[in-house]
Amino acid sequence: MDLYEETKLIMKQNNIFANKKLGQNFLIDENIVSEIVNSSEITENDLIIEIGPGLGTLTSKLVEKAGKVICIELDQRMINILKNRFKLYNNIEIINEDVLKVNLQELIEKNKKNSNIQKVKIVANLPYYITTPIIMKLLEEKLSIESITVMVQKEVAIRLADKPGGKESGSITYTIWYYTEPEIILNVPSKSFIPEPEVQSAVIKFNVLKQPRIKVENEELFFKIIKSAFMQKRKTLVNALLNSNFFEKREEAEKCLESIGIDKKIRGEKLTLEQYNEITKILDKNLY
Ligand code: SAM
């Protein structure tokens, strides 16, 4: 039986119809499943946190390779299927919860203490409707994780893998580039899922850096400045900084940019991480 037939059968036996609102598109392509698992470089000393395991397609490969797998799934119907499907495995924990509400660091620490787990990796075919909040949570909570390998919408993958200042970059690009080294692993056609999503997909891997890419003293201010620059993307950076009340007077904002060699007409999307850090230092220490 191939993965398509197996998936259809599990759905039929359990009377499952995919819930669009929960972003349910189940993988049915064996090669794509293998690519995700292989690019995650899983060993028996790894704890894998799988977000949205659904019917357990990826999970069935993860439990064979990892020391432990923790599945976080919102849909109670899936929980019943997973519990039944993996009842013979003692290296799996299934949590019925919204991943955005789970205290992941606490979960990681608890598991590291109680076992010989050395590294923690995130693997998922993500529910696309909450891709950004999930990735932001995984990065902003500064989890002790090695990598994040996830399926996302292809257009989103391109933006997430772009460099700051690149033409596809958004404010999330800066967060990603600060904490990780991103790489697109492969493109995935819609026919690799049932039901077929309306968009193309891609697998992207974020290798989490041991230290953030640059040293920023006031991270909160740094990311606030970047976010407000992108919220007003069509405006010049000077106008965005003025509208967000980082500066009271235009001359102050212009002088700040000039002092670090940036054209005062520049838009926020053109700046590097380092240049945002220079602006942060000036604002943080009132040096304008
Ligand atoms: N991993 C399965 C696969 O590849 O076939 C299913 C992937 S499907 C794209 C996304 C899964 O995420 C669904 O099972 C859905 O129920 C689950 N999900 C949706 N929102 C969630 C949330 N907030 N927290 C945890 N899981 C969620």
Side-chain angles (χ1 to χ4, degrees):
M1 199 175 355
D2 66 15
L3 199 47
Y4 171 75
E5 288 161 352
E6 192 184 334
T7 307
K8 278 280 189 196
L9 184 66
I10 298 175
M11 290 176 78
K12 194 168 170 220
Q13 281 170 343
N14 294 279
N15 199 19
I16 295 287
F17 295 91
N19 182 342
K20 256 193 166 184
K21 281 199 188 132
L22 288 181
Q24 290 180 348
N25 299 96
F26 304 113
L27 264 171
I28 49 159
D29 186 329
E30 197 77 56
N31 292 330
I32 305 291
V33 173
S34 301
E35 288 274 5
I36 296 173
V37 174
N38 292 341
S39 55
S40 308
E41 298 175 285
I42 300 167
T43 76
E44 58 194 25
N45 296 319
D46 288 344
L47 165 65
I48 302 296
I49 301 180
E50 188 191 5
I51 300 166
L55 305 168
T57 307
L58 259 171
T59 324
S60 67
K61 305 281 185 260
L62 300 174
V63 286
E64 297 297 339
K65 294 205 161 194
K68 180 165 178 188
V69 179
I70 298 181
C71 294
I72 304 171
E73 171 60 60
L74 184 58
D75 188 345
Q76 174 68 52
R77 301 172 308 163
M78 302 298 154
I79 299 292
N80 300 337
I81 296 170
L82 294 164
K83 282 193 172 151
N84 187 37
R85 185 165 178 185
F86 300 109
K87 60 180 175 236
L88 297 179
Y89 288 81
N90 58 11
N91 64 338
I92 183 166
E93 183 179 336
I94 300 164
I95 299 175
N96 185 196
E97 181 59 280
D98 175 351
V99 66
L100 296 175
K101 295 189 182 146
V102 177
N103 185 336
L104 292 172
Q105 190 57 29
E106 197 179 280
L107 198 61
I108 289 170
E109 276 161 23
K110 194 176 86 194
N111 276 277
K112 272 189 158 174
K113 219 183 278 169
N114 298 340
S115 62
N116 55 355
I117 293 299
Q118 285 166 6
K119 291 180 179 167
V120 182
K121 296 169 182 168
I122 311 281
V123 180
N125 171 14
L126 286 180
Y128 294 172
Y129 75 104
I130 43 170
T131 301
T132 304
I134 292 177
I135 291 179
M136 289 301 278
K137 174 183 169 77
L138 297 175
L139 298 177
E140 287 183 334
E141 291 186 359
K142 297 177 186 293
L143 306 174
S144 342
I145 54 176
E146 191 78 6
S147 63
I148 303 166
T149 309
V150 284
M151 176 90 71
V152 299
Q153 192 178 327
K154 185 177 168 188
E155 270 175 31
V156 175
I158 292 170
R159 182 150 49 86
L160 299 182
D162 200 7
K163 286 193 178 140
K167 72 176 195 312
E168 301 294 339
S169 66
S171 88
I172 193 172
T173 312
Y174 288 77
T175 309
I176 286 169
W177 198 245
Y178 182 64
Y179 289 113
T180 80
E181 179 75 45
E183 64 172 311
I184 292 184
I185 304 290
L186 82 159
N187 291 329
V188 181
S190 301
K191 64 176 171 30
S192 302
F193 307 84
I194 47 169
E196 288 189 19
E198 280 148 27
V199 291
Q200 299 295 305
S201 300
V203 177
I204 182 167
K205 182 174 185 186
F206 305 99
N207 293 297
V208 179
L209 303 171
K210 299 261 178 291
Q211 304 285 337
R213 197 176 288 270
I214 61 167
K215 191 169 175 335
V216 174
E217 268 176 33
N218 188 341
E219 273 183 4
E220 196 186 332
L221 180 61
F222 175 70
F223 285 115
K224 250 193 203 160
I225 294 170
I226 295 174
K227 272 180 196 148
S228 54
F230 275 86
M231 267 170 28
Q232 307 165 60
K233 220 179 157 184
R234 290 211 217 104
K235 294 201 164 76
T236 62
L237 180 60
V238 165
N239 282 338
L241 293 173
L242 283 168
N243 286 343
S244 307
N245 298 319
F246 286 112
F247 294 97
E248 272 174 34
K249 296 186 191 137
R250 175 169 298 278
E251 304 83 73
E252 291 171 344
E254 290 183 352
K255 210 176 112 201
C256 166
L257 296 195
E258 270 166 20
S259 74
I260 51 177
I262 302 176
D263 180 356
K264 60 186 183 194
K265 295 228 163 52
I266 203 165
R267 288 174 199 270
E269 70 210 47
K270 294 278 174 255
L271 265 67
T272 62
L273 274 181
E274 288 81 0
Q275 287 171 322
Y276 273 115
N277 194 22
E278 290 306 315
I279 297 174
T280 308
K281 280 190 216 160
I282 291 172
L283 275 168
D284 194 27
K285 302 202 162 71
N286 290 317
L287 295 173
Y288 50 91

